């Protein structure tokens, strides 16, 4: 069975600095998708970025980028130029190519300080 | 506007009193799913549906029922709620994975408290 591990329950960063959130996963499959979701205090689940396992190039969305290491089964999220609005819970999620089910990590609570 | 709606957003109830949380999507998605979110556990899938009249258990189905009579609706039913079902519930939908679309769209969440 696939598992997703986020080993940092909480992190903090100063505004305008860069922070990296860690995520590792376990799977025996070769084709799959990885996601980072943001959950602000409003509790809404917001897709931040996604990565297809067959793509070697790391995904980037504005200030958000990932470091995808397929062999190491690692999928970290880098937030550059952190903003107060980035304060949220961040979830890493895995989806097998053959299903629509998302498997989530336990989340990392990020606090951005002025 | 493309969206997933859930009702109610907040619910406080007592043990054993049957309740239904509704979920509706306006994107003609085939796949719908229910998750519960608990502190320290992330989100876990309760039930899912691949299409009308096709449902199956997720990872934590005990104490829940679902139905999919129409493509847009996927209600979650708690026949006899218990305090351990106090949680934050999310409905999500996505188009068929063969379409190449990866994203699941989430509803706003339902905070349920069972006393």
């Amino acid at each position: 069975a696939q598992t997703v591990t986020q080993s940092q329950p909480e992190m903090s960063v100063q505004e305008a600095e860069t922070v990296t959130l860690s995520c590792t996963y376990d799977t025996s499959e070769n084709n799959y998708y990885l996601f980072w979701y943001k959950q602000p205090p409003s509790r809404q689940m917001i897709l931040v970025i996604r990565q297809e396992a067959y793509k070697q190039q790391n995904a980037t969305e504005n200030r958000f980028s990932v470091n995808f290491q397929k062999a190491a089964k690692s999928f970290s999220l880098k937030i550059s130029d952190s903003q107060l609005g980035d304060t949220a819970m961040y979830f890493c999620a895995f989806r097998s190519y053959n299903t629509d089910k998302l498997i989530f990590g336990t989340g990392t609570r990020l606090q951005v300080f002025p | 506007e493309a969206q997933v709606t859930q009702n109610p957003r907040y619910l406080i109830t007592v043990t054993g009193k049957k309740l239904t949380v509704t979920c509706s999507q306006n994107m003609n998605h085939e796949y719908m799913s229910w998750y519960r979110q608990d502190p320290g556990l992330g989100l876990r899938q309760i039930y899912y549906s691949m299409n009308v009249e096709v449902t199956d258990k997720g990872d934590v189905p005990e104490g829940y029922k679902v139905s999919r009579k129409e493509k847009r609706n996927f209600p979650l039913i708690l026949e006899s709620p218990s305090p351990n079902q106090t949680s934050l519930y999310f409905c999500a939908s996505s188009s068929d994975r063969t379409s190449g679309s990866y994203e699941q769209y989430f509803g706003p969440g339902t905070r349920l408290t069972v006393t």
Side-chain angles (χ1 to χ4, degrees), chain B:
Chain B
E1 177 189 358
Q3 61 182 351
V4 178
T5 57
Q6 292 178 229
N7 283 292
R9 295 289 309 280
Y10 301 89
L11 180 60
I12 300 174
T13 189
V14 296
T15 300
K17 186 176 181 181
K18 180 180 178 180
L19 66 91
T20 300
V21 183
T22 64
C23 172
S24 183
Q25 50 93 6
N26 62 0
M27 296 167 279
N28 200 38
H29 284 166
E30 292 80 12
Y31 182 86
M32 297 186 74
S33 180
W34 277 101
Y35 295 88
R36 62 177 287 174
Q37 180 180 351
D38 301 290
L41 297 177
L43 283 78
R44 294 175 294 166
Q45 190 183 58
I46 303 171
Y47 267 96
Y48 66 94
S49 170
M50 299 296 288
N51 214 321
V52 176
E53 302 292 2
V54 180
T55 64
D56 207 347
K57 296 177 181 179
D59 297 320
V60 287
E62 294 77 18
Y64 305 95
K65 285 175 57 177
V66 293
S67 68
R68 188 91 181 271
K69 294 184 170 56
E70 305 168 282
K71 196 171 187 180
R72 64 169 38 230
N73 296 322
F74 190 45
L76 180 68
I77 303 159
L78 285 71
E79 294 271 4
S80 182
S82 62
N84 64 11
Q85 292 178 297
T86 292
S87 187
L88 177 59
Y89 291 86
F90 285 99
C91 181
S93 73
S94 62
S95 57
D96 185 272
R97 55 185 167 81
T98 59
S99 71
S101 174
Y102 316 117
E103 183 173 357
Q104 285 203 17
Y105 293 80
F106 283 83
T110 295
R111 169 70 70 185
L112 172 65
T113 301
V114 184
T115 62

Side-chain angles (χ1 to χ4, degrees), chain A residues 17-31:
Chain A
E17 297 295 309
T18 296
V19 64
T20 299
L21 308 183
S22 301
C23 173
T24 60
Y25 58 94
D26 188 26
T27 183
S28 59
E29 300 179 9
N30 192 48
N31 292 324

